[in-house]
Amino acid sequence: MKRNIVIAAVTAAALIGGGTATALATTGDDDPGTTRQSDVRASVGDDADDRAGDDADDRDDSRDDDGGDDRDDAARASSAKVTAAEAVAAALREAPGTAVSAELDDEDGDDGDRERAVWEVDVLAGDGTWHSVRIDPGTGKVLGSETDDEDDTDEVRAALKGSSVDAAEAAKAAAARGTVTSVELDEDGHYGDGRAAWEVETLSSGKGEQDWRVGLKSGEVTADRSHHSGSDHSDDSDDSGSDDD
């Protein structure tokens, strides 16, 4: 009778604590079953420690995800001596045409292990060939060029028809807001509304990463809220303007 009561109590404790209790019992009138309370406490405690450890790992991973990219972006931007506009100019000397995007990113170094910052510039040549040109952000030297296959050539040309502001000029226009880390043609416009513009990302101390739109005809810089609707651009007097028609 006592053995049954003890085992029931141990089982209840295991269920409440979320752990697994092991009851060691023997049969026989002369050797009554016993439950080792130390085993119960150890098993329940181990499960609690495992759960606490998993929660801590999840929190660490979350912090790394939230802050790691921002720190990487800041490190790349601070190390770049060549601006986006200068990278575009260097890429066009290598592959003449129309620069459609430029982004400061990372690539594997020569040793295959270490990463290095690099400007990646996409250029649409007059014959319809796409070129991806890599520029050293420290020296402006061309690191390499590859031919790409793209299927949006007609859309890009249609969006740029009649435009007077190129990628380099768009980057220069947004440079007053911070260090330009990317400039890219948005041929579809806000939410696919068809109003094409240049999308520019900047990074600045105290404000972090911000998104802007630069008109293809006017060169007007406005805050882009399509990606980060919660961003605070209230201190910019021109963030309520519209893109070119």
Side-chain angles (χ1 to χ4, degrees):
M1 182 66 176
K2 290 182 180 180
R3 180 170 65 252
N4 293 337
I5 293 175
V6 171
I7 293 176
V10 171
T11 303
L15 291 175
I16 293 173
T20 301
T22 302
L24 300 180
T26 60
T27 61
D29 295 337
D30 296 335
D31 189 9
T34 60
T35 300
R36 295 172 55 187
Q37 295 183 8
S38 60
D39 287 348
V40 175
R41 287 195 298 270
S43 179
V44 174
D46 289 344
D47 286 342
D49 290 342
D50 290 342
R51 290 195 300 274
D54 291 341
D55 291 343
D57 290 341
D58 290 342
R59 288 193 295 271
D60 290 341
D61 291 342
S62 178
R63 284 194 293 269
D64 290 341
D65 291 341
D66 292 341
D69 290 343
D70 291 341
R71 289 192 295 271
D72 290 344
D73 290 343
R76 284 194 295 268
S78 63
S79 65
K81 297 179 175 61
V82 176
T83 66
E86 291 169 342
V88 168
L92 291 178
R93 288 193 293 270
E94 174 70 16
T98 302
V100 179
S101 69
E103 181 179 10
L104 185 60
D105 205 348
D106 284 336
E107 72 168 6
D108 290 337
D110 294 335
D111 57 8
D113 295 324
R114 296 176 56 190
E115 288 188 340
R116 62 182 178 184
V118 64
W119 280 108
E120 295 183 354
V121 183
D122 288 335
V123 177
L124 173 59
D127 62 0
T129 303
W130 285 86
H131 300 272
S132 179
V133 186
R134 304 189 311 281
I135 306 295
D136 188 322
T139 64
K141 178 183 177 180
V142 175
L143 299 174
S145 179
E146 300 175 355
T147 301
D148 284 345
D149 293 327
E150 300 288 348
D151 58 3
D152 58 348
T153 301
D154 293 338
E155 290 84 349
V156 167
R157 284 178 170 170
L160 290 174
K161 185 177 181 179
S163 65
S164 56
V165 177
D166 60 22
E169 292 168 336
K172 290 178 181 178
R177 274 73 177 176
T179 301
V180 175
T181 56
S182 75
V183 54
E184 181 177 9
L185 177 66
D186 174 18
E187 62 267 27
D188 297 323
H190 269 303
Y191 305 105
D193 62 6
R195 302 178 66 180
W198 292 107
E199 288 184 339
V200 184
E201 289 185 0
T202 62
L203 194 64
S204 60
S205 177
K207 293 185 178 180
E209 182 181 288
Q210 294 178 293
D211 299 308
W212 309 94
R213 294 178 69 79
V214 180
L216 292 175
K217 296 179 181 179
S218 67
E220 180 184 14
V221 180
T222 60
D224 182 357
R225 303 184 186 279
S226 62
H227 298 299
H228 302 288
S229 59
S231 299
D232 181 11
H233 301 291
S234 59
D235 58 341
D236 296 289
S237 59
D238 59 354
D239 68 353
S240 61
S242 60
D243 295 327
D244 301 294
D245 292 330

